[in-house]
Amino acid sequence: MENNFKISLKAARVNQNLTQEEVAEKIKVSKHTIMNWEKGKNKIPYCAKCVLAQIYDIDINNLI
């Protein structure tokens, strides 16, 4: 049986001991953009989701 779980963007970020500002700098977006993605206010472009999965060291299919 596969162990699939979903993790929020915020939880994944906190797990890596990163601030919203640090993540924003890494992917060249504003802190406000990271905040909106974490709150679900804006849809995350697929390319950004791929980069976030790499930064957070998590499978892209497990990010919510």
Side-chain angles (χ1 to χ4, degrees):
M1 178 180 219
E2 274 188 53
N3 185 13
N4 288 336
F5 62 93
K6 298 289 183 183
I7 187 165
S8 71
L9 288 173
K10 182 177 180 178
R13 176 179 54 77
V14 170
N15 191 50
Q16 292 297 317
N17 296 314
L18 294 168
T19 65
Q20 290 173 333
E21 196 168 90
E22 290 169 330
V23 174
E25 287 177 17
K26 286 179 182 278
I27 64 172
K28 309 290 191 246
V29 298
S30 71
K31 178 182 171 184
H32 187 72
T33 298
I34 300 296
M35 290 170 52
N36 284 336
W37 288 347
E38 288 185 358
K39 292 178 182 178
K41 290 184 176 182
N42 295 342
K43 187 173 179 175
I44 306 168
Y46 183 77
C47 59
K49 196 171 183 180
C50 290
V51 174
L52 289 173
Q54 289 178 341
I55 291 170
Y56 298 155
D57 193 27
I58 189 168
D59 187 290
I60 191 169
N61 296 314
N62 293 340
L63 280 176
I64 56 170

